[in-house]
PDB file of all heavy atoms in Angstrom:
ATOM      1  N   PHE A1357     -13.169  17.559  -4.297  1.00  0.00           N
ATOM      2  CA  PHE A1357     -13.313  16.620  -5.423  1.00  0.00           C
ATOM      3  C   PHE A1357     -12.205  15.574  -5.419  1.00  0.00           C
ATOM      4  O   PHE A1357     -12.456  14.402  -5.503  1.00  0.00           O
ATOM      5  CB  PHE A1357     -13.340  17.368  -6.753  1.00  0.00           C
ATOM      6  CG  PHE A1357     -13.406  16.437  -7.917  1.00  0.00           C
ATOM      7  CD1 PHE A1357     -14.617  15.827  -8.262  1.00  0.00           C
ATOM      8  CD2 PHE A1357     -12.301  16.169  -8.678  1.00  0.00           C
ATOM      9  CE1 PHE A1357     -14.672  14.963  -9.351  1.00  0.00           C
ATOM     10  CE2 PHE A1357     -12.339  15.312  -9.762  1.00  0.00           C
ATOM     11  CZ  PHE A1357     -13.552  14.704 -10.064  1.00  0.00           C
ATOM     12  N   TYR A1358     -10.963  16.047  -5.342  1.00  0.00           N
ATOM     13  CA  TYR A1358      -9.835  15.096  -5.403  1.00  0.00           C
ATOM     14  C   TYR A1358      -9.795  14.183  -4.135  1.00  0.00           C
ATOM     15  O   TYR A1358      -9.426  13.039  -4.287  1.00  0.00           O
ATOM     16  CB  TYR A1358      -8.530  15.854  -5.569  1.00  0.00           C
ATOM     17  CG  TYR A1358      -8.322  16.276  -7.023  1.00  0.00           C
ATOM     18  CD1 TYR A1358      -8.063  17.630  -7.310  1.00  0.00           C
ATOM     19  CD2 TYR A1358      -8.354  15.395  -8.048  1.00  0.00           C
ATOM     20  CE1 TYR A1358      -7.885  18.042  -8.630  1.00  0.00           C
ATOM     21  CE2 TYR A1358      -8.193  15.767  -9.369  1.00  0.00           C
ATOM     22  CZ  TYR A1358      -7.933  17.100  -9.652  1.00  0.00           C
ATOM     23  OH  TYR A1358      -7.755  17.510 -10.968  1.00  0.00           O
ATOM     24  N   ASP A1359     -10.190  14.736  -2.993  1.00  0.00           N
ATOM     25  CA  ASP A1359     -10.211  13.863  -1.783  1.00  0.00           C
ATOM     26  C   ASP A1359     -11.279  12.762  -1.980  1.00  0.00           C
ATOM     27  O   ASP A1359     -11.003  11.586  -1.718  1.00  0.00           O
ATOM     28  CB  ASP A1359     -10.566  14.702  -0.560  1.00  0.00           C
ATOM     29  CG  ASP A1359      -9.412  15.570  -0.062  1.00  0.00           C
ATOM     30  OD1 ASP A1359      -8.291  15.391  -0.561  1.00  0.00           O
ATOM     31  OD2 ASP A1359      -9.681  16.422   0.807  1.00  0.00           O
ATOM     32  N   GLY A1360     -12.453  13.154  -2.466  1.00  0.00           N
ATOM     33  CA  GLY A1360     -13.512  12.174  -2.683  1.00  0.00           C
ATOM     34  C   GLY A1360     -13.166  11.166  -3.746  1.00  0.00           C
ATOM     35  O   GLY A1360     -13.452   9.974  -3.606  1.00  0.00           O
ATOM     36  N   LEU A1361     -12.539  11.637  -4.812  1.00  0.00           N
ATOM     37  CA  LEU A1361     -12.121  10.743  -5.883  1.00  0.00           C
ATOM     38  C   LEU A1361     -11.084   9.721  -5.389  1.00  0.00           C
ATOM     39  O   LEU A1361     -11.142   8.568  -5.692  1.00  0.00           O
ATOM     40  CB  LEU A1361     -11.591  11.563  -7.084  1.00  0.00           C
ATOM     41  CG  LEU A1361     -11.194  10.775  -8.325  1.00  0.00           C
ATOM     42  CD1 LEU A1361     -12.367  10.047  -8.916  1.00  0.00           C
ATOM     43  CD2 LEU A1361     -10.586  11.736  -9.325  1.00  0.00           C
ATOM     44  N   GLY A1362     -10.132  10.231  -4.599  1.00  0.00           N
ATOM     45  CA  GLY A1362      -9.113   9.356  -4.044  1.00  0.00           C
ATOM     46  C   GLY A1362      -9.710   8.302  -3.118  1.00  0.00           C
ATOM     47  O   GLY A1362      -9.327   7.133  -3.183  1.00  0.00           O
ATOM     48  N   GLU A1363     -10.680   8.693  -2.292  1.00  0.00           N
ATOM     49  CA  GLU A1363     -11.379   7.732  -1.424  1.00  0.00           C
ATOM     50  C   GLU A1363     -12.107   6.661  -2.230  1.00  0.00           C
ATOM     51  O   GLU A1363     -12.092   5.489  -1.871  1.00  0.00           O
ATOM     52  CB  GLU A1363     -12.330   8.473  -0.484  1.00  0.00           C
ATOM     53  CG  GLU A1363     -11.622   9.283   0.580  1.00  0.00           C
ATOM     54  CD  GLU A1363     -12.634  10.074   1.417  1.00  0.00           C
ATOM     55  OE1 GLU A1363     -13.819   9.756   1.405  1.00  0.00           O
ATOM     56  OE2 GLU A1363     -12.173  11.051   2.086  1.00  0.00           O
ATOM     57  N   LEU A1364     -12.779   7.110  -3.296  1.00  0.00           N
ATOM     58  CA  LEU A1364     -13.510   6.179  -4.133  1.00  0.00           C
ATOM     59  C   LEU A1364     -12.584   5.170  -4.801  1.00  0.00           C
ATOM     60  O   LEU A1364     -12.845   3.968  -4.814  1.00  0.00           O
ATOM     61  CB  LEU A1364     -14.339   6.932  -5.182  1.00  0.00           C
ATOM     62  CG  LEU A1364     -15.128   6.076  -6.149  1.00  0.00           C
ATOM     63  CD1 LEU A1364     -16.178   5.250  -5.403  1.00  0.00           C
ATOM     64  CD2 LEU A1364     -15.793   6.970  -7.178  1.00  0.00           C
ATOM     65  N   ILE A1365     -11.499   5.644  -5.352  1.00  0.00           N
ATOM     66  CA  ILE A1365     -10.528   4.783  -6.029  1.00  0.00           C
ATOM     67  C   ILE A1365      -9.912   3.802  -5.024  1.00  0.00           C
ATOM     68  O   ILE A1365      -9.772   2.614  -5.292  1.00  0.00           O
ATOM     69  CB  ILE A1365      -9.446   5.583  -6.752  1.00  0.00           C
ATOM     70  CG1 ILE A1365     -10.101   6.315  -7.955  1.00  0.00           C
ATOM     71  CG2 ILE A1365      -8.298   4.693  -7.194  1.00  0.00           C
ATOM     72  CD1 ILE A1365      -9.188   7.306  -8.636  1.00  0.00           C
ATOM     73  N   GLU A1366      -9.553   4.291  -3.848  1.00  0.00           N
ATOM     74  CA  GLU A1366      -9.014   3.448  -2.806  1.00  0.00           C
ATOM     75  C   GLU A1366      -9.983   2.368  -2.395  1.00  0.00           C
ATOM     76  O   GLU A1366      -9.639   1.200  -2.226  1.00  0.00           O
ATOM     77  CB  GLU A1366      -8.640   4.305  -1.585  1.00  0.00           C
ATOM     78  CG  GLU A1366      -7.823   3.527  -0.562  1.00  0.00           C
ATOM     79  CD  GLU A1366      -7.283   4.442   0.526  1.00  0.00           C
ATOM     80  OE1 GLU A1366      -6.772   5.511   0.217  1.00  0.00           O
ATOM     81  OE2 GLU A1366      -7.416   4.047   1.684  1.00  0.00           O
ATOM     82  N   LEU A1367     -11.240   2.749  -2.250  1.00  0.00           N
ATOM     83  CA  LEU A1367     -12.281   1.760  -1.897  1.00  0.00           C
ATOM     84  C   LEU A1367     -12.434   0.689  -2.990  1.00  0.00           C
ATOM     85  O   LEU A1367     -12.509  -0.492  -2.712  1.00  0.00           O
ATOM     86  CB  LEU A1367     -13.633   2.470  -1.716  1.00  0.00           C
ATOM     87  CG  LEU A1367     -14.846   1.636  -1.378  1.00  0.00           C
ATOM     88  CD1 LEU A1367     -14.672   1.011   0.015  1.00  0.00           C
ATOM     89  CD2 LEU A1367     -16.123   2.408  -1.456  1.00  0.00           C
ATOM     90  N   MET A1368     -12.358   1.107  -4.248  1.00  0.00           N
ATOM     91  CA  MET A1368     -12.521   0.178  -5.353  1.00  0.00           C
ATOM     92  C   MET A1368     -11.324  -0.766  -5.440  1.00  0.00           C
ATOM     93  O   MET A1368     -11.500  -1.967  -5.776  1.00  0.00           O
ATOM     94  CB  MET A1368     -12.663   0.927  -6.652  1.00  0.00           C
ATOM     95  CG  MET A1368     -13.996   1.670  -6.800  1.00  0.00           C
ATOM     96  SD  MET A1368     -14.089   2.822  -8.174  1.00  0.00           S
ATOM     97  CE  MET A1368     -13.745   1.796  -9.570  1.00  0.00           C
ATOM     98  N   LEU A1369     -10.110  -0.264  -5.170  1.00  0.00           N
ATOM     99  CA  LEU A1369      -8.913  -1.101  -5.329  1.00  0.00           C
ATOM    100  C   LEU A1369      -8.554  -1.941  -4.139  1.00  0.00           C
ATOM    101  O   LEU A1369      -8.025  -3.026  -4.278  1.00  0.00           O
ATOM    102  CB  LEU A1369      -7.741  -0.180  -5.679  1.00  0.00           C
ATOM    103  CG  LEU A1369      -7.802   0.504  -7.037  1.00  0.00           C
ATOM    104  CD1 LEU A1369      -6.612   1.443  -7.248  1.00  0.00           C
ATOM    105  CD2 LEU A1369      -7.852  -0.491  -8.166  1.00  0.00           C
ATOM    106  N   TYR A1370      -8.852  -1.444  -2.938  1.00  0.00           N
ATOM    107  CA  TYR A1370      -8.298  -2.105  -1.742  1.00  0.00           C
ATOM    108  C   TYR A1370      -9.344  -2.621  -0.759  1.00  0.00           C
ATOM    109  O   TYR A1370      -8.995  -3.213   0.250  1.00  0.00           O
ATOM    110  CB  TYR A1370      -7.322  -1.127  -0.984  1.00  0.00           C
ATOM    111  CG  TYR A1370      -6.203  -0.659  -1.884  1.00  0.00           C
ATOM    112  CD1 TYR A1370      -6.143   0.652  -2.318  1.00  0.00           C
ATOM    113  CD2 TYR A1370      -5.244  -1.568  -2.331  1.00  0.00           C
ATOM    114  CE1 TYR A1370      -5.128   1.060  -3.139  1.00  0.00           C
ATOM    115  CE2 TYR A1370      -4.190  -1.139  -3.168  1.00  0.00           C
ATOM    116  CZ  TYR A1370      -4.142   0.170  -3.548  1.00  0.00           C
ATOM    117  OH  TYR A1370      -3.152   0.588  -4.371  1.00  0.00           O
ATOM    118  N   SER A1371     -10.594  -2.416  -1.060  1.00  0.00           N
ATOM    119  CA  SER A1371     -11.637  -2.896  -0.151  1.00  0.00           C
ATOM    120  C   SER A1371     -11.878  -4.381  -0.350  1.00  0.00           C
ATOM    121  O   SER A1371     -11.791  -4.894  -1.460  1.00  0.00           O
ATOM    122  CB  SER A1371     -12.925  -2.098  -0.362  1.00  0.00           C
ATOM    123  OG  SER A1371     -13.977  -2.660   0.389  1.00  0.00           O
ATOM    124  N   GLU A1372     -12.200  -5.062   0.715  1.00  0.00           N
ATOM    125  CA  GLU A1372     -12.568  -6.465   0.620  1.00  0.00           C
ATOM    126  C   GLU A1372     -14.011  -6.634   0.142  1.00  0.00           C
ATOM    127  O   GLU A1372     -14.433  -7.732  -0.218  1.00  0.00           O
ATOM    128  CB  GLU A1372     -12.413  -7.139   1.996  1.00  0.00           C
ATOM    129  CG  GLU A1372     -10.997  -7.122   2.503  1.00  0.00           C
ATOM    130  CD  GLU A1372     -10.025  -7.951   1.601  1.00  0.00           C
ATOM    131  OE1 GLU A1372     -10.454  -9.009   1.123  1.00  0.00           O
ATOM    132  OE2 GLU A1372      -8.920  -7.488   1.405  1.00  0.00           O
ATOM    133  N   GLU A1373     -14.763  -5.520   0.142  1.00  0.00           N
ATOM    134  CA  GLU A1373     -16.143  -5.571  -0.271  1.00  0.00           C
ATOM    135  C   GLU A1373     -16.234  -5.763  -1.774  1.00  0.00           C
ATOM    136  O   GLU A1373     -15.580  -5.103  -2.580  1.00  0.00           O
ATOM    137  CB  GLU A1373     -16.833  -4.240   0.094  1.00  0.00           C
ATOM    138  CG  GLU A1373     -18.307  -4.246  -0.161  1.00  0.00           C
ATOM    139  CD  GLU A1373     -18.976  -2.952   0.296  1.00  0.00           C
ATOM    140  OE1 GLU A1373     -18.432  -2.293   1.196  1.00  0.00           O
ATOM    141  OE2 GLU A1373     -20.043  -2.643  -0.262  1.00  0.00           O
ATOM    142  N   GLU A1374     -17.008  -6.762  -2.186  1.00  0.00           N
ATOM    143  CA  GLU A1374     -17.189  -7.078  -3.588  1.00  0.00           C
ATOM    144  C   GLU A1374     -18.083  -6.005  -4.272  1.00  0.00           C
ATOM    145  O   GLU A1374     -19.083  -5.598  -3.702  1.00  0.00           O
ATOM    146  CB  GLU A1374     -17.819  -8.410  -3.751  1.00  0.00           C
ATOM    147  CG  GLU A1374     -17.982  -8.897  -5.180  1.00  0.00           C
ATOM    148  CD  GLU A1374     -18.588 -10.285  -5.289  1.00  0.00           C
ATOM    149  OE1 GLU A1374     -18.788 -10.943  -4.283  1.00  0.00           O
ATOM    150  OE2 GLU A1374     -18.815 -10.694  -6.430  1.00  0.00           O
ATOM    151  N   ILE A1375     -17.683  -5.588  -5.442  1.00  0.00           N
ATOM    152  CA  ILE A1375     -18.494  -4.650  -6.204  1.00  0.00           C
ATOM    153  C   ILE A1375     -19.463  -5.446  -7.039  1.00  0.00           C
ATOM    154  O   ILE A1375     -19.067  -6.266  -7.898  1.00  0.00           O
ATOM    155  CB  ILE A1375     -17.595  -3.736  -7.125  1.00  0.00           C
ATOM    156  CG1 ILE A1375     -16.650  -2.934  -6.269  1.00  0.00           C
ATOM    157  CG2 ILE A1375     -18.460  -2.850  -7.996  1.00  0.00           C
ATOM    158  CD1 ILE A1375     -15.617  -2.180  -7.039  1.00  0.00           C
ATOM    159  N   VAL A1376     -20.754  -5.252  -6.819  1.00  0.00           N
ATOM    160  CA  VAL A1376     -21.773  -6.044  -7.525  1.00  0.00           C
ATOM    161  C   VAL A1376     -22.796  -5.093  -8.159  1.00  0.00           C
ATOM    162  O   VAL A1376     -22.971  -3.967  -7.737  1.00  0.00           O
ATOM    163  CB  VAL A1376     -22.508  -7.008  -6.582  1.00  0.00           C
ATOM    164  CG1 VAL A1376     -21.542  -8.075  -6.050  1.00  0.00           C
ATOM    165  CG2 VAL A1376     -23.155  -6.285  -5.413  1.00  0.00           C
ATOM    166  N   HIS A1377     -23.427  -5.594  -9.171  1.00  0.00           N
ATOM    167  CA  HIS A1377     -24.474  -4.858  -9.884  1.00  0.00           C
ATOM    168  C   HIS A1377     -25.709  -4.747  -8.990  1.00  0.00           C
ATOM    169  O   HIS A1377     -26.124  -5.713  -8.360  1.00  0.00           O
ATOM    170  CB  HIS A1377     -24.810  -5.574 -11.174  1.00  0.00           C
ATOM    171  CG  HIS A1377     -25.918  -4.969 -11.964  1.00  0.00           C
ATOM    172  ND1 HIS A1377     -25.782  -3.819 -12.693  1.00  0.00           N
ATOM    173  CD2 HIS A1377     -27.194  -5.353 -12.138  1.00  0.00           C
ATOM    174  CE1 HIS A1377     -26.917  -3.515 -13.256  1.00  0.00           C
ATOM    175  NE2 HIS A1377     -27.785  -4.420 -12.951  1.00  0.00           N
ATOM    176  N   ASN A1378     -26.313  -3.580  -8.973  1.00  0.00           N
ATOM    177  CA  ASN A1378     -27.531  -3.381  -8.228  1.00  0.00           C
ATOM    178  C   ASN A1378     -28.675  -4.001  -9.033  1.00  0.00           C
ATOM    179  O   ASN A1378     -29.007  -3.531 -10.133  1.00  0.00           O
ATOM    180  CB  ASN A1378     -27.777  -1.880  -8.021  1.00  0.00           C
ATOM    181  CG  ASN A1378     -29.073  -1.589  -7.248  1.00  0.00           C
ATOM    182  OD1 ASN A1378     -29.887  -2.482  -7.041  1.00  0.00           O
ATOM    183  ND2 ASN A1378     -29.242  -0.340  -6.895  1.00  0.00           N
ATOM    184  N   PRO A1379     -29.327  -5.030  -8.507  1.00  0.00           N
ATOM    185  CA  PRO A1379     -30.387  -5.704  -9.308  1.00  0.00           C
ATOM    186  C   PRO A1379     -31.597  -4.839  -9.571  1.00  0.00           C
ATOM    187  O   PRO A1379     -32.369  -5.071 -10.480  1.00  0.00           O
ATOM    188  CB  PRO A1379     -30.754  -6.917  -8.443  1.00  0.00           C
ATOM    189  CG  PRO A1379     -30.293  -6.575  -7.077  1.00  0.00           C
ATOM    190  CD  PRO A1379     -29.111  -5.655  -7.218  1.00  0.00           C
ATOM    191  N   LYS A1380     -31.795  -3.773  -8.783  1.00  0.00           N
ATOM    192  CA  LYS A1380     -32.904  -2.859  -8.992  1.00  0.00           C
ATOM    193  C   LYS A1380     -32.646  -1.773 -10.030  1.00  0.00           C
ATOM    194  O   LYS A1380     -33.505  -1.020 -10.398  1.00  0.00           O
ATOM    195  CB  LYS A1380     -33.297  -2.197  -7.654  1.00  0.00           C
ATOM    196  CG  LYS A1380     -33.839  -3.184  -6.620  1.00  0.00           C
ATOM    197  CD  LYS A1380     -34.158  -2.500  -5.361  1.00  0.00           C
ATOM    198  CE  LYS A1380     -34.662  -3.494  -4.312  1.00  0.00           C
ATOM    199  NZ  LYS A1380     -34.940  -2.820  -3.043  1.00  0.00           N
ATOM    200  N   SER A1381     -31.390  -1.689 -10.464  1.00  0.00           N
ATOM    201  CA  SER A1381     -30.995  -0.642 -11.424  1.00  0.00           C
ATOM    202  C   SER A1381     -31.628  -0.898 -12.791  1.00  0.00           C
ATOM    203  O   SER A1381     -31.661  -1.992 -13.282  1.00  0.00           O
ATOM    204  CB  SER A1381     -29.481  -0.635 -11.584  1.00  0.00           C
ATOM    205  OG  SER A1381     -29.110   0.223 -12.609  1.00  0.00           O
TER     206      SER A1381
END
């Protein structure tokens, strides 16, 4: 759980990929 949570937070904070709303949601 903590490994996955750390990866998710790192992705959100340091990734160049923009976080966008899923239009199909």
Side-chain angles (χ1 to χ4, degrees):
F1357 176 77
Y1358 283 124
D1359 287 349
L1361 184 61
E1363 289 175 18
L1364 178 62
I1365 292 171
E1366 189 171 316
L1367 179 68
M1368 291 168 58
L1369 293 176
Y1370 302 111
S1371 175
E1372 297 297 321
E1373 186 176 335
E1374 183 178 354
I1375 299 173
V1376 295
H1377 176 74
N1378 179 350
K1380 294 180 182 178
S1381 172

